[in-house]
Amino acid sequence: MKGPEDDAGLAGKVAIVSGGGAAGDGIGNGRAAAILLARAGTRVLVADLDLKLAERTVDMIKAEGGHAAAHAGDMTKEAECKQLVDAAVDRWGRLDFLDNNIGIGSRGSVVDEKPDEYRRVMQVNVETMFLLSKHAIPAMIKTAKGGSIVNISSISALRPRGLTTYTTSKAAVIGLTQAMAVDHGRDHIRVNCICPGPMYTPMVNRGNGMSEAARAARAKASVLKIEGTGWDIGHGVRFLLSNHARYITGHVLVIDGGVTLQGPERDSAT
């Protein structure tokens, strides 16, 4: 006998995936989530600062028979966040899900970090989620009578290893997630957070690329002794957005292969 948990509730729904592009054919957290949602029948609006990166994700989805569209925008600007939400509703008539992936890194200590850089990291890593949620939540309530949001944080927020500005921003994402979960539970909107560990993604491998020795060291930091990828985060996003997680909100899901069980790893965590 089937219960409500047997239906993932993703088919026919509409999702925005911010930061849904990735370099080349690489699989970042956002691209993986977009592809996996589309495979489950969700219509996905893939947003990225670089339209070409978003379009590549859309091409990959359409090659599998999924439904998606690309959107370019700077999500540090409120007007462009509103335009993104409006674009999803205008195209498909509703909005059910928001996956907030946008983020940048920073390595300075509180002494070394320049105030302008601190403000920039907080703006990109936290304010974009605030602004997108600010416009997505009313659209979810109006068009779908509820919805679900996933914000991407980091295990650095749970096991600080320096990187003061980055760590502060990712800790703020957890606070934002849990506060929104309380504020909007009455609106039938769930808000959860994922803290990735040392995932191998195009963002991590940018520039000259990560050496095999560095990748091996990152894998060794896991109790499973394997390397995480964007797909691992994408599966977590799809689960938290689905009906399978219908009674989960304000939760911080750690996807790190057990890295945080062994204490901080300065060179391997994200």
Side-chain angles (χ1 to χ4, degrees):
M1 183 174 182
K2 290 186 176 181
E5 69 278 3
D6 293 309
D7 178 13
L10 296 170
K13 302 293 180 64
V14 174
I16 290 173
V17 176
S18 69
D25 289 335
I27 300 297
N29 298 337
R31 176 171 284 172
I35 292 171
L36 290 170
L37 286 168
R39 286 177 182 173
T42 305
R43 293 163 287 182
V44 184
L45 186 57
V46 182
D48 203 279
L49 187 62
D50 187 331
L51 181 61
K52 290 183 178 179
L53 300 184
E55 288 175 335
R56 181 59 191 133
T57 301
V58 170
D59 289 343
M60 296 168 81
I61 290 171
K62 289 184 175 180
E64 296 183 355
H67 299 280
H71 185 98
D74 181 352
M75 298 303 116
T76 65
K77 298 177 180 177
E78 183 176 0
E80 298 196 28
C81 290
K82 182 179 185 302
Q83 288 170 7
L84 174 60
V85 171
D86 289 345
V89 175
D90 290 345
R91 177 178 286 270
W92 289 303
R94 62 186 296 148
L95 179 63
D96 302 271
F97 309 129
L98 171 63
D99 177 26
N100 278 314
N101 287 279
I102 298 171
I104 57 175
S106 178
R107 292 192 171 274
S109 70
V110 71
V111 174
D112 299 328
E113 195 78 273
K114 293 180 174 59
D116 285 348
E117 179 62 17
Y118 171 85
R119 286 188 284 269
R120 176 62 177 167
V121 172
M122 295 299 290
Q123 181 185 39
V124 173
N125 290 5
V126 186
E127 191 172 334
T128 58
M129 297 187 185
F130 168 84
L131 291 174
L132 279 168
S133 299
K134 181 179 183 65
H135 291 281
I137 288 171
M140 291 175 180
I141 295 170
K142 181 178 180 180
T143 66
K145 295 183 172 57
S148 184
I149 297 172
V150 174
N151 299 321
I152 303 300
S153 178
S154 167
I155 61 171
S156 288
L158 306 175
R159 293 289 178 89
R161 58 198 170 92
L163 313 182
T164 301
T165 300
Y166 177 78
T167 298
T168 300
S169 71
K170 292 303 184 178
V173 169
I174 294 176
L176 176 67
T177 297
Q178 295 178 333
M180 288 199 302
V182 173
D183 285 341
H184 299 288
R186 65 179 68 90
D187 300 314
H188 306 291
I189 291 175
R190 297 183 300 103
V191 189
N192 291 291
C193 179
I194 291 177
C195 287
M199 323 310 292
Y200 186 70
T201 66
M203 181 176 177
V204 170
N205 192 40
R206 65 187 180 276
N208 295 325
M210 180 175 289
S211 69
E212 290 302 316
R215 293 182 66 180
R218 285 159 58 89
K220 187 178 180 180
S222 160
V223 299
L224 300 174
K225 307 306 178 189
I226 59 175
E227 184 177 58
T229 73
W231 293 116
D232 298 304
I233 306 306
H235 281 290
V237 171
R238 185 169 67 173
F239 165 71
L240 288 173
L241 292 179
S242 77
N243 284 349
H244 297 313
R246 60 181 291 274
Y247 206 53
I248 300 173
T249 195
H251 182 67
V252 178
L253 176 61
V254 178
I255 302 179
D256 72 342
V259 169
T260 50
L261 298 176
Q262 303 189 112
E265 294 287 340
R266 291 191 61 85
D267 295 323
S268 63
T270 62

